[in-house]
Amino acid sequence: MTVAQIKRFNAGDIIFSEGDDGDCAYIIEKGRVQIFIESDDERVPLVNCGVGEIFGEMAVIDGSPRSASVQALEPTELVIVSSQQISERFDDADPIVRLLTSMLLKRVRFNNEKTRTLTNKSASNKKSILLAQRQEIKERAEE
């Protein structure tokens, strides 16, 4: 029988960052985490997770880099689920289940990227509006 490995994090600790390789997933034993992406140096929260939830599985299942970053919101204890543990279960799964999982992962990754793009456009639009307002104020002051 394998003994579960526990990792502890303090509030504010980054558990992993977007783009990192994914060698394990985590089950939250205690505490809460926030999953987020960065867009134009702005944090965009995707979801907060709590006790009993798993995260970090996507990179392990599809071999892609981490699609988001995760930060502990409070003192947090995580059970490490190794890539081997996930692979063994995933490989033994029904082919339809594997296909469904693969499609869901692709859709989540697509939605993360779409969120980033929309956030970038929103930030860009805000900057354009502010610049236009400043120019208008400057022109009025010169009149």
Side-chain angles (χ1 to χ4, degrees), residues 32-36 43 45-49 69-73:
R32 290 182 318 121
V33 302
Q34 180 175 76
I35 300 174
F36 65 94
R43 178 182 286 203
L46 298 175
V47 67
N48 291 345
C49 299
S69 300
V70 181
Q71 182 177 36
L73 295 174

Side-chain angles (χ1 to χ4, degrees), residues 2 28 34 38-39 50 67 75 80 86 95 100 119 130 138 142:
T2 305
I28 303 171
Q34 180 175 76
E38 296 281 341
S39 179
S67 65
I80 298 172
I86 292 172
L100 288 169
T119 302
L130 286 174
K138 183 178 176 183
E142 291 174 354

Side-chain angles (χ1 to χ4, degrees), residues 86-102:
I86 292 172
S87 293
E88 287 170 357
R89 286 159 179 81
F90 194 68
D91 292 345
D92 290 343
D94 181 276
I96 301 283
V97 171
R98 289 196 309 264
L99 177 62
L100 288 169
T101 302
S102 295

Side-chain angles (χ1 to χ4, degrees), residues 11 24 60 68 97 109-110:
C24 67
V60 175
V97 171
R109 287 187 184 281
F110 174 80

